[in-house]
């Protein structure tokens, strides 16, 4: 098979069309895996991405400018209802370009729950394991090595050990990490195996046509089957539309992300929505973070971005992680103003920030389509019971901080003191009645807006990602998760996409 | 007639409050207006006052210049929201006055102590929306403060110098804005990822953040 090619914004000079076997919309983890596996199967594939490819020279180290360039809505996308920021990448490689490369298999009890509640027959851990392994081998997924953990991560281990909580080095899709802590602004060391440096080049080697700066605006169909996609070329960063394109295909795969895919279906004449579930059931892993201040320097800028984690409390609804990000982004979570705020920032060199992500199956929302835009409107509410999970997680993080030797913790929670100097004081986190609006939340990972269900009346796709309503239309992004997976979803999304690709190539 | 006079007086007062009395700009800005530059300078001084544990103040960090650059690469919708935020902070002193004499002046005309008190009022308000406005404003300013190289150096969190290796992807993608035919690298340029050298504390800093550059 001859090598494929990439087109970037400056390459487009007129309207165009292409004929392929399969068109894949979205080059994030799910889309990139799907495209590569389908090209491996000998199919002609077009992979379409709205964002541009980033080279290391295009990365911005500064947090805000980087977000403005690599994230949808400049990184300022918010939910309504419970106000919470949530970030989605817009770049070749999707979110993998700017995430911290955490790879976790969904726990067996979660997948068993999915099978039972959503009439799925082949989605247990044993079913998915071969697909997890294939992806893991390709990306070199491995535990974060000790030499790049840095003190910030190792203090977490030390605290967990002291309390008898299990913890482990984070498994990541990284080869040759140097501990720059720059995962969120693009890996300048090229160690992170984001999709743009791993699966996408592999797909191109096998013949894929990759169209970047190309925004799909509708799915073409004849009522019974999808026939391709149509859209416009858009300028990087400004989104200014120019040439039109059309890709004719025997099958269409949507991997645009669980917020963009429902909009695309809606804009295509309410496609694949006989169940009424498109855009519904929006779930997140809401996250909270807390800063611990230690007596000595922690040197937080050195070390893997998120090198350690604890799954000790997964069944209680939360997972704990270490965290680093551009300092400006981390500082946003701290309380105060004026001199008190400034002096708190001065503690940065002696601080570590750790976070928790929560399983919030009760906290639901929806993705709505705006009439003149492809930008979704998000409504979501944090359930009061899930507020309790998050405050419990903050308490546990405080426990670990004090066990690791912190002299204080700074929670940033409204309505209670800014800083606790002992575990006794921190008890207020669980004893004081708190509401969603008292927490500084981050909307990590989003799911379920085109959920899989064995019953076509209750879900959009089957467990292979095939739409119940249109047999040659597939969805492989995290929208197909029936519930949040309790751990970072990237590896599971890729494993499901790997399985879907095998299914699609068999069908074609 | 009286009503008409009141409306005219109110309109004149509004016009003067909103548009007059701002200092001229030291240089051109892409997005920010004169009144916004004045507001952001005054907020940055109150949010990051001189003194304390970090030598650099908000004024040293020249936040309006940074925010102008940020807004110039942001979407139109984001820019509109940011303009509205600045307007709200500047003129909400009519509803939430600063303590002390003439506390209803626009924010940028208040004394430093009054500005600090006003910001504290927003941040600690029992009204969720006021706190949300405060967090939005503080986030914007904090982003700019942390973009100031001396601040990052003083905090010990400045980015390291890293020479990016040339990998297979670099043979496929040009820099943003260039054509595919402009890719500078060939297979002969490929280098291996260095996994033998962690960037330990004390490693050389990124050129833009090193002391020499400042």
């Amino acid at each position: 098979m001859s090598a494929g090619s990439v087109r970037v914004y400056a390459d487009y000079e007129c309207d165009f069309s292409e004929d392929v076997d399969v068109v894949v919309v979205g080059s994030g983890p799910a889309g990139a895996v799907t495209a590569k596996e389908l090209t491996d199967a000998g199919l002609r594939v077009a992979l379409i991405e709205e964002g541009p490819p980033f080279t290391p020279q295009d990365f911005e180290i500064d947090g805000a400018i980087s977000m403005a360039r690599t994230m949808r809505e400049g990184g300022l996308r918010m939910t309504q209802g419970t106000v919470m920021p949530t970030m989605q990448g817009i770049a070749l490689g999707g979110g993998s370009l700017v995430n911290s490369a955490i790879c976790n298999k969904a726990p067996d009890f979660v997948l068993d729950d999915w099978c039972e509640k959503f009439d799925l027959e082949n989605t247990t851990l044993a079913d998915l394991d071969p697909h997890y392994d294939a992806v893991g081998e390709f990306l070199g997924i491995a535990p974060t090595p000790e030499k790049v953990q840095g003190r910030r991560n190792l203090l977490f281990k030390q605290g967990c050990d002291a309390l008898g909580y299990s913890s482990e080095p984070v498994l990541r899709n990284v080869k040759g990490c140097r501990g720059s802590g720059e995962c969120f602004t693009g890996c300048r060391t090229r160690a992170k195996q984001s999709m743009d440096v791993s699966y996408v080049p592999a797909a191109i080697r096998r013949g894929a046509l990759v169209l970047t700066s190309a925004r799909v605006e509708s799915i073409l169909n004849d009522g019974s089957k999808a026939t391709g996609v149509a859209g416009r070329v858009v300028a990087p960063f400004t989104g200014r539309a120019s040439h039109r394109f059309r890709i004719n295909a025997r099958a269409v795969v949507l991997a645009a992300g669980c917020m963009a895919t429902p909009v695309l279906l809606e804009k295509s004449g309410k496609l694949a929505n006989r169940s009424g579930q498109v855009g519904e059931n929006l779930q997140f892993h809401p996250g909270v973070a807390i800063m611990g201040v230690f007596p000595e320097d922690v040197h937080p800028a050195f070390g893997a971005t998120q090198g350690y984690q604890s799954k000790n409390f997964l069944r209680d609804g939360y997972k704990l992680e270490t965290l680093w990000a551009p300092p400006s982004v981390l500082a946003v979570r701290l309380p105060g103003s004026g001199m008190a705020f400034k002096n708190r920032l001065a503690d940065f060199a002696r601080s570590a920030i750790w976070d928790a992500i929560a399983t919030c199956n009760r906290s639901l929302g929806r993705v709505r389509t705006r009439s003149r835009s492809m930008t979704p409107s998000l409504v979501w509410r944090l359930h009061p019971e899930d507020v309790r999970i998050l405050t419990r997680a903050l308490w546990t993080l405080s426990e670990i901080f004090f066990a690791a030797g912190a002299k204080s913790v700074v929670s940033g929670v409204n309505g209670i003191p800014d800083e606790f100097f002992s575990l006794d004081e921190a008890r207020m986190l669980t004893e004081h009645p708190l509401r969603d609006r008292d927490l500084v939340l981050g909307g990590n990972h989003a799911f379920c807006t085109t959920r899989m269900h064995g019953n076509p009346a209750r879900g959009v796709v089957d467990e292979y990602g095939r739409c119940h309503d249109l047999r040659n239309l597939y969805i492989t992004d995290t929208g197909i998760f029936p519930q949040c997976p309790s751990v970072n979803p990237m590896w599971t999304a890729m494993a499901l996409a790997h399985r879907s690709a095998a299914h699609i190539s068999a069908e074609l | 007639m009286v009503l008409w006079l009141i409306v005219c007086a109110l309109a004149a007062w509004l016009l003067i409050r909103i548009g007059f009395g701002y200092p001229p700009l030291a240089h051109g800005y892409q997005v920010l207006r004169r009144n916004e530059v004045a507001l952001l300078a005054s907020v940055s001084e109150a949010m990051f006052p001189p003194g304390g544990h970090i030598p650099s103040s908000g004024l040293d960090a020249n936040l309006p210049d940074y925010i102008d650059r940020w807004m110039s690469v942001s979407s139109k919708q984001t820019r509109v929201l940011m303009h509205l935020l600045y307007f709200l902070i500047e003129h909400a002193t009519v509803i939430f006055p600063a303590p002390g004499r003439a506390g209803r002046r626009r924010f940028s005309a208040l004394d430093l102590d009054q500005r600090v008190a006003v910001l504290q009022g927003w941040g600690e308000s029992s009204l969720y929306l006021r706190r949300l406005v405060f967090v939005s404003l503080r986030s914007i300013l904090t982003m700019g403060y942390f973009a100031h190289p001396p601040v990052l150096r003083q905090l010990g969190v400045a980015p390291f110098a890293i020479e990016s290796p040339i990998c297979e992807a670099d043979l496929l993608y040009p820099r943003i804005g260039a054509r595919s035919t402009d890719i500078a690298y060939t297979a002969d340029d490929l280098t291996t990822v260095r996994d033998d050298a962690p960037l330990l504390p004390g490693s050389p800093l990124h050129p833009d953040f090193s002391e020499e550059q400042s």
Side-chain angles (χ1 to χ4, degrees):
Chain A
M1 176 171 286
S2 62
S5 61
V6 185
R7 284 182 213 163
V8 297
Y9 180 69
D11 295 336
Y12 301 109
E13 290 176 338
C14 56
D15 295 353
F16 64 96
S17 69
E18 299 283 347
D19 295 297
V20 295
D21 293 318
V22 186
V23 59
V24 180
V25 182
S27 69
V33 170
T34 310
K36 186 260 181 188
E37 293 304 319
L38 291 174
T39 54
D40 277 355
L43 295 165
R44 284 174 302 141
V45 174
L47 175 63
I48 305 185
E49 168 57 49
E50 185 176 347
F54 279 74
T55 67
Q57 292 74 34
D58 295 313
F59 293 149
E60 283 277 353
I61 298 171
D62 176 76
I65 308 284
S66 173
M67 287 198 302
R69 288 160 62 89
T70 59
M71 306 276 187
R72 291 188 181 274
E73 300 181 53
L76 303 176
R77 180 173 276 182
M78 297 274 178
T79 57
Q80 299 163 42
T82 297
V83 177
M84 178 175 72
T86 176
M87 296 178 187
Q88 282 75 47
I90 177 165
L92 188 68
S96 71
L97 185 80
V98 284
N99 71 10
S100 48
I102 299 180
C103 295
N104 278 304
K105 292 184 181 181
D108 51 359
F109 70 88
V110 167
L111 294 173
D112 289 346
D113 198 36
W114 288 9
C115 288
E116 190 185 325
K117 285 185 182 160
F118 298 92
D119 297 349
L120 309 175
E121 291 174 355
N122 303 301
T123 307
T124 64
L125 187 56
D127 295 318
L128 293 186
D129 250 339
H131 304 286
Y132 276 121
D133 292 345
V135 172
E137 190 176 334
F138 182 85
L139 290 175
I141 292 173
T144 305
E146 177 100 5
K147 67 180 178 183
V148 294
Q149 285 288 359
R151 187 144 190 263
R152 166 171 48 82
N153 291 315
L154 294 175
L155 282 167
F156 179 84
K157 175 188 184 321
Q158 190 181 314
C160 287
D161 287 351
L163 294 165
Y165 299 154
S166 66
S167 67
E168 63 204 41
V170 169
L171 295 175
R172 301 181 306 160
N173 50 314
V174 170
K175 293 175 182 170
C177 178
R178 297 180 65 194
S180 68
E182 290 183 7
C183 290
F184 290 139
T185 50
C187 181
R188 285 189 290 147
T189 64
R190 305 299 252 173
K192 180 165 68 170
Q193 296 301 292
S194 49
M195 297 303 110
D196 56 318
V197 302
S198 56
Y199 269 99
V200 174
I204 294 167
R205 270 199 305 273
R206 301 286 291 170
L209 168 64
V210 177
L211 304 174
T212 66
S213 294
R215 181 175 64 208
V216 172
E217 295 177 342
S218 65
I219 301 155
L220 306 172
N221 68 93
D222 64 8
S224 62
K225 65 178 192 300
T227 57
V229 298
R232 305 281 295 267
V233 169
V234 289
F237 313 134
T238 65
R240 190 165 35 83
S242 55
H243 309 297
R244 295 180 185 280
F245 68 84
R246 177 189 175 108
I247 310 293
N248 302 310
R250 291 160 59 205
V252 174
V253 180
L254 302 180
C258 90
M259 292 173 193
T261 291
V263 172
L264 199 45
L265 291 169
E266 180 79 10
K267 293 267 184 190
S268 306
K270 302 186 190 304
L271 211 56
N273 196 19
R274 226 173 284 165
S275 65
Q277 298 296 319
V278 170
E280 299 296 320
N281 314 303
L282 174 65
Q283 292 187 19
F284 292 95
H285 283 149
V288 286
I290 193 164
M291 180 169 101
V293 184
F294 289 84
E296 317 87 25
D297 270 1
V298 172
H299 299 297
F302 167 68
T305 303
Q306 296 193 272
Y308 243 87
Q309 65 182 5
S310 170
K311 297 181 190 169
N312 197 86
F313 301 94
L314 272 191
R315 285 180 186 271
D316 298 312
Y318 56 98
K319 170 181 172 280
L320 308 174
E321 309 165 334
T322 58
L323 176 66
W324 185 245
S328 53
V329 176
L330 295 173
V332 164
R333 291 171 174 263
L334 300 179
S337 68
M339 191 59 82
F341 180 56
K342 194 178 166 209
N343 284 342
R344 181 158 286 131
L345 298 180
D347 287 335
F348 245 72
R350 294 183 290 119
S351 303
I353 293 177
W354 299 337
D355 75 281
I357 61 171
T359 302
C360 293
N361 290 330
R362 287 164 293 212
S363 302
L364 299 175
R366 61 175 65 95
V367 173
R368 284 283 174 264
T369 303
R370 299 174 204 258
S371 58
R372 290 185 183 175
S373 165
M374 299 300 285
T375 302
S377 162
L378 310 173
V379 181
W380 176 83
R381 281 190 189 282
L382 183 60
H383 192 281
E385 289 299 318
D386 292 335
V387 173
R388 271 193 267 280
I389 291 180
L390 287 162
T391 52
R392 185 79 205 166
L394 284 172
W395 153 257
T396 308
L397 287 170
S398 305
E399 250 191 319
I400 299 170
F401 267 123
F402 284 116
K407 69 178 183 67
S408 68
V409 296
V410 181
S411 73
V413 174
N414 181 60
I416 59 174
D418 291 341
E419 194 163 7
F420 298 121
F421 294 90
S422 72
L423 202 51
D424 256 358
E425 287 178 22
R427 213 169 291 281
M428 195 175 272
L429 281 165
T430 52
E431 290 172 355
H432 192 80
L434 293 169
R435 296 167 301 171
D436 57 350
R437 57 183 53 180
D438 293 321
L439 302 173
V440 182
L441 297 166
N444 308 290
H445 322 141
F447 318 99
C448 309
T449 55
T450 51
R451 73 179 183 191
M452 61 168 83
H453 202 296
N455 179 351
R458 300 182 63 195
V460 180
V461 299
D462 66 17
E463 56 195 323
Y464 300 103
R466 180 157 70 174
C467 288
H468 289 301
D469 298 354
L470 269 82
R471 304 303 281 174
N472 68 338
L473 177 62
Y474 291 80
I475 302 174
T476 61
D477 56 48
T478 57
I480 68 172
F481 287 25
Q483 282 189 326
C484 57
S486 302
V487 294
N488 315 65
M490 182 170 67
W491 200 1
T492 302
M494 291 191 288
L496 288 170
H498 189 270
R499 182 171 74 168
S500 292
H503 195 76
I504 296 165
S505 58
E507 290 286 305
L508 293 180
Chain B
M1 183 63 181
V2 175
L3 186 67
W4 177 241
L5 278 174
I6 291 171
V7 169
C8 285
L10 200 61
W13 175 79
L14 267 177
L15 202 66
I16 291 166
R17 181 178 174 99
I18 292 170
F20 286 85
Y22 288 103
L25 293 175
H27 59 84
Y29 286 83
Q30 294 181 73
V31 180
L32 290 177
R33 301 160 192 146
R34 194 164 61 154
N35 53 344
E36 292 172 330
V37 171
L39 169 79
L40 289 169
S42 66
V43 179
S44 66
E45 188 185 16
M47 189 68 80
F48 305 104
H53 301 158
I54 308 175
S56 299
S57 70
L59 286 178
D60 296 332
N62 204 356
L63 300 189
D65 282 18
Y66 173 85
I67 293 168
D68 188 59
R69 183 177 166 229
W70 181 11
M71 289 177 72
S72 71
V73 298
S74 299
S75 69
K76 191 176 168 188
Q77 186 192 3
T78 303
R79 283 202 299 270
V80 169
L81 290 172
M82 287 168 123
H83 286 306
L84 285 172
L85 176 68
Y86 307 148
F87 186 86
L88 178 64
I89 294 292
E90 176 75 324
H91 297 291
T93 46
V94 172
I95 302 163
F96 306 112
R101 205 173 62 84
R104 285 198 155 84
R105 285 176 294 168
R106 55 194 183 202
F107 184 94
S108 60
L110 296 171
D111 303 332
L112 178 58
D113 289 346
Q114 288 180 305
R115 279 179 271 146
V116 169
V118 167
L119 289 179
Q120 200 169 354
W122 282 91
E124 295 174 0
S125 172
S126 57
L127 298 174
Y128 174 57
L129 284 177
R130 273 191 85 192
R131 294 203 307 275
L132 205 59
V133 166
F134 169 78
V135 169
S136 304
L137 179 71
R138 197 189 57 181
S139 302
I140 293 168
L141 293 164
T142 306
M143 293 283 186
Y145 189 59
F146 275 91
H148 189 49
V151 170
L152 289 180
R153 277 201 310 275
Q154 287 152 15
L155 298 182
V157 293
F160 299 114
I162 295 170
E163 193 179 337
S164 298
I166 312 297
C167 67
E168 185 195 357
D170 295 312
L171 313 185
L172 296 171
Y173 319 131
R175 285 199 64 170
I176 294 171
R179 290 170 180 269
S180 295
T181 49
D182 296 333
I183 296 170
Y185 302 115
T186 68
D188 294 338
D189 299 313
L190 291 174
T191 54
T192 51
V193 173
R194 290 185 61 189
D195 62 352
D196 56 333
L199 294 156
L200 296 169
S203 297
L205 296 182
H206 186 290
D208 291 350
F209 293 83
S210 66
E211 199 118 27
E212 296 78 44
Q213 185 69 20
S214 303

